[in-house]
Amino acid sequence: MNRPRTIVRSLLTITLAFATLLVQPGTASATVYAQIEGTGSTWSELIVQQWIADVDANGMKVVYTGGGSSKGRKDFSQNSTDFAISEIPYQGTDETGQADTSNGREFAYLPIVAGGTAFTYQLKIGNELVRNLRLSGETIAKIFTNQITNWNDAAITADNNGRAFPSLPITPVVRSDGSGTTAQFTTWLDSEFPSIWRPFFGGSGLTSYYPKESGSRAIGQAGSDQVMNTISGFAGNGTIGYVEYSYPVNKDYPVVKVLNKAGYYVEPTQYNVAVALTRAKINQDKSSALYLTQILDGVYRNTDARAYPISSYSYMVIPTGADDPRMTTAKRQTIADFLYYSLCAGQTKAGPYGYSPLPLNLVQAGFEQISRLKQADSAVDLTDRDVRSCNNPTFDGKNLNKNQLAAIAPAPAACDKQGEGPCGTATGTNEPSTDEGGAATPDGGQAGGGAASPTGTGAGSGTPGAGSGAAGGNAPPPVIDPATGAVVGGTSTGAATSDAIYANPTELAADRALDTRTFGWLAALLAVGLVVVPGFYAASLRRRRKPGTVR
């Protein structure tokens, strides 16, 4: 008598058991992740930690500890981490004569974010913090080599168009640890001011360990966060140091407007960095160990009025060897999906955090580097991704040739020109100083800006200006060479680049083709269970019911 009910229960049990089997972790349909660990750059640490928080909800566990670029490269070479982040590549031999190599571990460089090395400071007149300081590159070089030692120096007064500051000793705050930020800063010093830098350094080239002279007022601190805390602290009046722009932005602290080759004083907003880096040369030799590393001489000397001179990229170092001792399929999958998020959707957060998003050519090249994880392990899943759906504010799928962020970058305010001003606009706000009605943001909105009162405390509203070309002009958007990232002149054609590297970072583990097929079968199976089983049960009852019987 209970046979139909028994059959129904059996069918439902089988259906649910099969459905459970399909969604069990570790089956073919599910993406398996494993925790990955890295160390290195504090220059890029703020945005990296945000990306880590973002992907945590997707089941990716990423642990990152700063400590400096030199530490990151060393830890990676000793197989104690799964990845590293550094502003400079392995040097072969560092400035102390020690080996700086991967120690035979196979790897690839992959640019992850752009930004500007900023000079943040504490300088007060009375009890009021000066928020609109301007300095030329030569003045900065002399400050950090102990040739200018007081804030009332004539060179500082000249940079600020005659505005004099109180007699107060200058205290440079430099990195005491092996730092990519130091390496970027000293690369610029060696390139642009060798006659000032080299006698102080005692040689030529960059260094990750900033030299300190005996008797100097300079203070050494480990990590960008400690440099920032020292400068902004209660005893920080008179200090100046170098950090990535994100640190003063997040601390609401001022930065120096640096004189560029066009004769304008600018700060490293995402727009000014994007413009500057259109002149970066990227190593395109895929057979070279330095593939995708940067040459920045053109950035330092960029003659666009909007360009911030000390702009650069940060790199992730990823393991590519098939027999890497720390790697598993799950770890490689975590690295791949974390990087897909970082290169695309994660770049939308770069600007608000004080960084600048990567342009298309570097995102595409990054996808190529990620593909090496699959070359090492065929079980890594890199399907269903397309760069044209990449949610990156420097480009869109309709016009892959155009660096959108550089095209909409506003011209600097007239009061930022050498011999004019200075502008009263406060720095460190992550908003451009411009006479235009504010820069168009990548999402179509407006960023604030404009000149204000000469006190340096106002935000200012600015007056509507003439578009986003060079200062005071109405230049058309530039065409960007997709191979080099450089402006090649003329106006954008709107044509898409050919041979695009396909990836779709918005479709991470939850929306792969395999998962879609799997869950499609699961939905069909459940539908069969819900429709067929009740029908079977009803039919069984009808067969058992005799004619004329009332139940």
Side-chain angles (χ1 to χ4, degrees):
M1 183 172 181
N2 293 325
R3 186 182 176 194
R5 292 187 178 89
T6 301
I7 294 173
V8 169
R9 282 197 297 269
S10 298
L11 287 171
L12 286 173
T13 299
I14 293 170
T15 300
L16 292 173
F18 186 56
T20 301
L21 178 64
L22 285 175
V23 297
Q24 281 294 321
T27 65
S29 65
T31 299
V32 179
Y33 291 130
Q35 179 171 296
I36 55 172
E37 301 171 355
T39 59
S41 165
T42 60
W43 187 92
S44 53
E45 185 172 9
L46 292 181
I47 191 64
V48 171
Q49 294 294 0
Q50 178 59 53
W51 292 338
I52 289 172
D54 291 345
V55 302
D56 185 74
N58 291 341
M60 284 178 265
K61 302 298 180 185
V62 183
V63 177
Y64 182 73
T65 307
S69 293
S70 295
K71 174 177 171 56
R73 296 193 308 278
K74 183 175 181 180
D75 288 346
F76 184 85
S77 73
Q78 295 176 341
N79 292 311
S80 58
T81 56
D82 302 305
F83 67 91
I85 298 179
S86 176
E87 274 70 70
I88 57 172
Y90 283 108
Q91 299 296 293
T93 302
D94 68 16
E95 60 272 30
T96 67
Q98 301 298 310
D100 181 21
T101 71
S102 70
N103 199 28
R105 189 178 186 185
E106 294 181 61
F107 70 93
Y109 297 118
L110 188 148
I112 55 170
V113 74
T117 299
F119 302 93
T120 188
Y121 62 92
Q122 185 180 151
L123 175 60
K124 293 182 176 178
I125 298 177
N127 290 321
E128 186 172 353
L129 182 65
V130 174
R131 298 194 67 105
N132 59 346
L133 179 67
R134 314 190 315 187
L135 296 175
S136 68
E138 181 177 355
T139 302
I140 291 170
K142 289 181 176 179
I143 286 174
F144 282 91
T145 56
N146 302 322
Q147 296 183 43
I148 293 178
T149 59
N150 195 292
W151 286 107
N152 68 358
D153 190 278
I156 297 176
T157 302
D159 285 335
N160 290 273
N161 201 26
R163 183 186 186 192
F165 297 108
S167 177
L168 177 69
I170 297 174
T171 303
V173 183
V174 301
R175 290 285 291 275
S176 60
D177 54 336
S179 161
T181 317
T182 297
Q184 294 287 20
F185 177 36
T186 58
T187 299
W188 174 71
L189 289 172
D190 186 71
S191 173
E192 302 306 292
F193 306 100
S195 63
I196 298 173
W197 165 244
R198 293 177 183 178
F200 173 79
F201 180 41
S204 61
L206 64 83
T207 178
S208 298
Y209 297 89
Y210 201 87
K212 286 179 61 180
E213 286 186 338
S214 177
S216 167
R217 290 183 57 87
I219 299 172
Q221 292 290 0
S224 297
D225 53 345
Q226 292 305 310
V227 171
M228 188 72 248
N229 290 340
T230 299
I231 292 169
S232 62
F234 73 94
N237 194 26
T239 56
I240 183 172
Y242 54 89
V243 291
E244 206 284 328
Y245 184 55
S246 60
Y247 284 87
V249 164
N250 283 277
K251 198 83 171 179
D252 190 25
Y253 228 71
V255 300
V256 171
K257 286 185 177 180
V258 179
L259 184 65
N260 64 23
K261 292 298 182 182
Y264 282 83
Y265 293 91
V266 296
E267 65 178 295
T269 64
Q270 61 174 324
Y271 305 101
N272 295 338
V273 169
V275 169
L277 288 173
T278 60
R279 295 300 187 196
K281 290 184 179 180
I282 304 298
N283 187 317
Q284 296 291 313
D285 182 0
K286 294 182 180 181
S287 65
S288 170
L290 295 177
Y291 175 53
L292 296 186
T293 57
Q294 59 198 345
I295 301 172
L296 299 173
D297 298 47
V299 175
Y300 304 152
R301 300 160 196 167
N302 193 326
T303 56
D304 192 302
R306 304 164 295 172
Y308 183 76
I310 314 129
S311 299
S312 57
Y313 300 109
S314 186
Y315 302 94
M316 184 178 283
V317 183
I318 61 173
T320 58
D323 58 352
D324 190 284
R326 288 187 62 92
M327 286 294 101
T328 63
T329 299
K331 280 192 172 185
R332 290 188 178 98
Q333 192 69 60
T334 306
I335 293 173
D337 284 353
F338 177 60
L339 282 171
Y340 274 122
Y341 174 80
S342 302
L343 288 172
C344 290
Q347 296 290 311
T348 64
K349 298 187 176 182
Y353 268 76
Y355 296 88
S356 188
L358 294 178
L360 170 67
N361 64 304
L362 293 185
V363 173
Q364 288 180 304
F367 291 162
E368 288 182 337
Q369 297 291 65
I370 294 170
S371 71
R372 296 175 66 177
L373 296 169
K374 186 173 181 65
Q375 293 171 15
D377 183 349
S378 60
V380 175
D381 185 1
L382 304 181
T383 57
D384 295 329
R385 295 178 172 93
D386 186 337
V387 73
R388 287 167 294 190
S389 64
C390 184
N391 186 20
N392 180 311
T394 66
F395 61 88
D396 62 64
K398 296 178 181 178
N399 187 356
L400 296 179
N401 275 331
K402 182 179 177 182
N403 186 324
Q404 175 70 7
L405 203 63
I408 65 174
C415 52
D416 281 324
K417 187 173 177 59
Q418 189 174 28
E420 303 292 338
C423 298
T425 318
T427 59
T429 64
N430 206 18
E431 295 183 350
S433 172
T434 179
D435 289 331
E436 301 171 16
T441 60
D443 61 3
Q446 293 288 313
S453 63
T455 62
T457 59
S461 59
T463 56
S468 63
N474 190 20
V479 174
I480 307 301
D481 185 333
T484 65
V487 177
V488 295
T491 58
S492 177
T493 64
T497 55
S498 59
D499 301 322
I501 309 296
Y502 289 103
N504 188 353
T506 61
E507 297 176 2
L508 291 173
D511 198 22
R512 300 175 194 271
L514 178 60
D515 295 337
T516 301
R517 291 193 297 270
T518 299
F519 283 95
W521 280 109
L522 175 58
L525 180 62
L526 290 175
V528 169
L530 291 172
V531 174
V532 175
V533 172
F536 177 82
Y537 179 56
S540 298
L541 290 177
R542 285 194 298 271
R543 283 196 300 270
R544 295 182 70 248
R545 187 176 296 133
K546 295 180 181 180
T549 302
V550 178
R551 290 183 180 269

